Amino acid sequence: MQYDFNSIEKKWQEYWAKNQTFKASNDSEKEKFYVLDMFPYPSGAGLHVGHPLGYIASDIYARYKRHKGFNVLHPMGYDSFGLPAEQYAIQTGQHPADTTRVNIEGGVDKEGKKIEGYRNQLDRMGFSFDWSREVRTSNPDYYKWTQWVFIQLFNSWYNTDADKAEDISDLISAFEKNGNADINAVCDEDTPKFSAEDWINFSEAEKEKMLLNYRLAFLSDTWVNWCEGLGTVLANDEVKDGLSERGGFPVEQKLMKQWSLRITAYADRLISGLDTVDWSDSIKEIQKNWIGKSKGASVSFQLENLDEEVEVFTTRPDTIFGVNFMVLAPEYELVNKITTKEQKEKMEEYVNSAKLKSERDRQADQSVSG
């Protein structure tokens, strides 16, 4: 007999949708199980092969756990906010809200071309998603919470004694009473000491600047991948061979003010928390490398014929006597001072070429040469 997949698939997909077969219950007595996929960018006119490549495996696992008696939550959504959606809208000359909606739900573009939409394609593949939990990151009902989280971080500082974040108002009260001499907190290393009297006499601008040394979300000068052609900062994943993945525009390393998070305050808790997660050792090792906590010592090297020092962090201070060279970043402030006239032109050429490389590209070069 011939397998009539068109009618069979359509029949059961309609049944699943009508009966909400894959909807996770909040009141179920079954053991809970959560299967989460990476959300696709709805920035093109449909799915590409990379989407089902990942979703098929996780969907098989979700179905397996349902058959084993679990209350499985398997949601789907769209990472629809940001550069990909904006660039697609620019390329097609449409508002990103319109292109994003059509790319997700299907419809007709401005040229009258039919767009099937991500949702229809995902349904036709028969994935067991709970669509009642759909997430669209460009929806104000969603991103208002990301903004809320940022505000919580901005209005918090990390109390090392309590080993947790506390409201910034508590820190201000402490400053008003005793200054910051007795404050044990995660803050900028060059934060100056001040008394209660100093704090009271600070202007509002000076107080805010001082608080930025303590806030969990703070402004700082950071080296970023700047793309003039796109008019934005790019992640390392969006840069390839010194060019933006979208558009092929030149990308350079540039020092800019950016919002940063004091994630290092949570390094110990993040690492210890890995012991409670059912992940493979290889994934845990990747997470530890991402957290990036290292124990070691800072060593200062005196420069010859120059009243300057270079401070280097090492995890192996016991091998310091075997050092015969060190490498400075191209952006390091002393590079121009210590470069000889004979090497100045070559050094400037190298610095300019290095500016076009992302941090990941530089690390790749290091691993090849090392």
Side-chain angles (χ1 to χ4, degrees), residues 265-337:
Y266 293 89
D268 289 333
R269 288 169 60 177
L270 286 168
I271 291 173
S272 62
L274 290 173
D275 295 334
T276 66
V277 182
D278 185 19
W279 287 348
S280 66
D281 290 338
S282 60
I283 294 296
K284 289 184 178 181
E285 192 61 31
I286 291 173
Q287 287 294 306
K288 289 178 181 178
N289 292 335
W290 175 82
I291 294 167
K293 180 175 181 179
S294 298
K295 293 182 178 180
S298 290
V299 182
S300 294
F301 291 88
Q302 180 67 47
L303 296 180
E304 187 177 358
N305 301 324
L306 200 64
D307 188 22
E308 299 279 1
E309 291 182 340
V310 174
E311 185 177 359
V312 178
F313 175 81
T314 175
T315 58
R316 292 295 304 276
D318 56 310
T319 64
I320 208 71
F321 298 104
V323 171
N324 50 34
F325 75 94
M326 66 180 68
V327 179
L328 301 180
E331 299 86 4
Y332 194 65
E333 56 189 6
L334 290 180
V335 168
N336 286 330
K337 288 186 178 182

Side-chain angles (χ1 to χ4, degrees), residues 83-216:
L83 185 63
E86 292 170 7
Q87 284 301 303
Y88 181 76
I90 292 171
Q91 292 167 9
T92 58
Q94 303 172 76
H95 194 287
D98 296 330
T99 57
T100 298
R101 185 184 64 257
V102 171
N103 287 340
I104 292 175
E105 301 174 1
V108 179
D109 64 16
K110 69 173 186 176
E111 298 175 353
K113 179 183 176 182
K114 182 179 179 182
I115 304 296
E116 186 174 12
Y118 279 48
R119 171 66 191 272
N120 294 327
Q121 291 177 310
L122 289 167
D123 281 342
R124 284 175 58 192
M125 292 181 188
F127 292 125
S128 61
F129 297 131
D130 179 359
W131 286 110
S132 69
R133 318 280 181 139
E134 182 192 271
V135 171
R136 299 185 188 184
T137 60
S138 56
N139 190 323
D141 289 341
Y142 173 86
Y143 66 71
K144 72 176 183 181
W145 292 111
T146 63
Q147 295 174 336
W148 178 85
V149 169
F150 176 84
I151 292 172
Q152 307 310 305
L153 293 169
F154 181 75
N155 289 326
S156 299
W157 64 290
Y158 199 89
N159 186 337
T160 306
D161 291 333
D163 197 23
K164 66 177 183 178
E166 295 182 351
D167 195 278
I168 200 72
S169 62
D170 296 335
L171 184 63
I172 294 173
S173 297
F175 287 168
E176 292 172 343
K177 295 176 182 177
N178 302 305
N180 69 344
D182 298 326
I183 298 296
N184 192 4
V186 175
C187 62
D188 290 353
E189 292 182 358
D190 57 354
T191 302
K193 295 296 183 182
F194 58 86
S195 66
E197 184 179 0
D198 292 331
W199 175 260
I200 293 172
N201 291 327
F202 283 161
S203 66
E204 287 303 314
E206 290 173 327
K207 288 180 179 180
E208 283 304 317
K209 185 177 180 180
M210 187 63 68
L211 287 173
L212 277 179
N213 291 331
Y214 291 88
R215 293 183 187 273
L216 289 183

